[in-house]
Amino acid sequence: MADNSGNDKPFVLASRPDDEKGIPYYGVDILKKHVNVVWYEDFLKDKAKYSELIQGVILWVMAPRVDAALLDALPNVKVISNVGAGVNFLDLDLLASRGLKVCNTPRILNETTADMGMTLLLASARRLLEGDQMVRDPNIKWQINFCGRQVSGSTLGIVGMGGIGYAIAQRAHAFRMKIFYHNRTRRPQAEEEAVGAQYCASLEELLPQCDFVIIVTPLTAETKGMFGKKQFDLMKPSATIINIARGGIINTAALLEALQNKTIAAAALDVTDPEPLPDDHPLLKLQNVTFTAHLGSATVQTRSNMMALAVQNLLDALSGKPLVNQVI
């Protein structure tokens, strides 16, 4: 049922309270403090009761799904507020045609996501998961010459030098890595010099030089399938590709071929296409691929801050205040 503890608070539709498959306890606490929550299941059971009350929708891990049918059932909805930076899963043209405001939570997850990028880079380079298996599995003999790849002093290419990309550059600079980056716009010279980053106008310029390439660019029509056979062929045979952005930026079939044919050495993926991968997908059988389950922003502190910002975005939109994080 809706939380009616404060009738002056707006009614907001949200997915469901569930620590495993929905909004976890810390997010629920933030929601209930500021809005009257209508859980999606309750809404479906009694649309007549809630349809005209709901003024906003909070999206947690892309849920609930916002489509024409849902919007038709919410005549007074004014704002869609996403807990996260990416909005590629939303039909922005549809939402704009309905006159809705859409907000997100960029920047607040920059540091945590950059941490995950470096975590994946290090785990892949030093073969962390294979080393863990060597210790745990009695059927695997310890290998005295079990080696990974050097990180300190190596060369890193960053594709997408926004807030997360720059935070990665700061971390890589501490590892004395040589840094190249490709971005739609070049960073100011002072920012480049602070991390020792060199701008590349194209992927063709960046890729052949790098030991590690990390993707941090948003998924758009322009970046979908940005990495395919052509790009992998440009990389060093010893190179590793790391993706903490969106799975669709990499052509999965081309990545599989590049790894199987040893066109590149390894991959470290927080995101995939499709996501999740089918249980029998051949990528899952490769030892030179390190996976995490889309955990870039997944710390309690960061996710709590993201929910708080998403709620504030929603409240600002409903009260007519200027929106700092407005997508449309």
Side-chain angles (χ1 to χ4, degrees):
M1 299 295 291
D3 175 3
N4 295 306
S5 60
N7 291 328
D8 60 329
K9 297 186 290 187
F11 283 80
V12 172
L13 183 67
S15 57
R16 61 175 173 173
D18 189 320
D19 283 351
E20 292 187 4
K21 298 181 179 180
I23 301 176
Y25 68 94
Y26 50 86
V28 172
D29 290 346
I30 293 168
L31 276 174
K32 288 187 174 183
K33 182 178 179 180
H34 298 284
V35 302
N36 288 313
V37 186
V38 180
W39 300 116
Y40 186 66
E41 183 178 354
D42 295 329
F43 167 72
L44 292 179
K45 290 178 180 178
D46 199 346
K47 290 185 180 180
K49 179 177 181 179
Y50 296 117
S51 286
E52 295 190 2
L53 290 173
I54 293 170
Q55 294 180 278
V57 180
I58 287 281
L59 301 178
W60 181 274
V61 194
M62 301 185 289
R65 180 182 179 186
V66 178
D67 54 17
L70 179 64
L71 297 179
D72 289 343
L74 300 175
N76 295 318
V77 71
K78 297 179 177 63
V79 57
I80 310 297
S81 188
N82 183 45
V83 184
V87 293
N88 56 287
F89 63 94
L90 291 171
D91 186 340
L92 296 180
D93 291 336
L94 170 66
L95 298 176
S97 73
R98 301 293 182 104
L100 300 179
K101 295 178 180 178
V102 177
C103 305
N104 65 346
T105 59
R107 295 177 295 279
I108 201 166
L109 48 71
N110 288 357
E111 300 298 324
T112 301
T113 308
D115 288 348
M116 176 57 78
M118 289 303 295
T119 298
L120 278 170
L121 189 157
L122 289 162
S124 176
R126 299 307 303 270
R127 302 173 66 184
L128 184 69
L129 299 185
E130 292 175 78
D132 179 80
Q133 291 175 340
M134 192 182 300
V135 173
R136 293 176 185 273
D137 191 338
N139 296 315
I140 300 178
K141 294 182 179 180
W142 283 41
Q143 302 174 33
I144 60 172
N145 292 319
F146 178 85
C147 294
R149 290 177 293 281
Q150 184 82 6
V151 173
S152 296
S154 62
T155 302
L156 173 65
I158 302 174
V159 181
M161 194 64 141
I164 298 171
Y166 195 76
I168 289 170
Q170 291 173 317
R171 287 153 175 75
H173 185 60
F175 280 83
R176 295 182 291 102
M177 300 181 83
K178 185 175 184 180
I179 301 168
F180 294 97
Y181 77 96
H182 173 64
N183 200 48
R184 286 182 300 177
T185 57
R186 186 168 181 171
R187 283 268 179 173
Q189 183 178 351
E191 294 182 359
E192 290 181 342
E193 291 177 350
V195 294
Q198 300 179 47
Y199 178 70
C200 294
S202 67
L203 289 179
E204 288 76 13
E205 180 184 356
L206 178 144
L207 294 176
Q209 305 186 68
C210 298
D211 302 306
F212 302 91
V213 176
I214 187 162
I215 302 172
V216 207
T217 188
L219 177 61
T220 65
E222 291 73 28
T223 63
K224 183 174 177 61
M226 174 187 278
F227 276 78
K229 184 179 188 305
K230 176 183 176 182
Q231 288 70 37
F232 293 127
D233 285 346
L234 289 170
M235 295 173 65
K236 295 179 179 181
S238 58
T240 298
I241 186 81
I242 302 117
N243 190 4
I244 58 169
R246 288 292 186 270
I249 296 171
I250 292 180
N251 181 305
T252 302
L255 174 62
L256 176 63
E257 181 181 353
L259 291 165
Q260 289 175 329
N261 294 341
K262 299 183 179 179
T263 304
I264 63 173
L269 309 173
D270 188 46
V271 290
T272 58
D273 182 29
E275 188 175 294
L277 291 171
D279 291 342
D280 60 349
H281 197 283
L283 269 180
L284 298 174
K285 297 179 173 64
L286 299 182
Q287 284 283 59
N288 56 344
V289 184
T290 302
F291 294 101
T292 48
H294 205 144
L295 302 177
S297 65
T299 68
V300 172
Q301 180 178 349
T302 295
R303 290 280 175 89
S304 296
N305 291 340
M306 289 166 64
M307 175 61 85
L309 179 57
V311 170
Q312 189 60 56
N313 288 339
L314 183 144
L315 295 175
D316 287 347
L318 293 178
S319 63
K321 294 180 180 180
L323 296 176
V324 177
N325 302 303
Q326 185 172 0
V327 179
I328 59 171

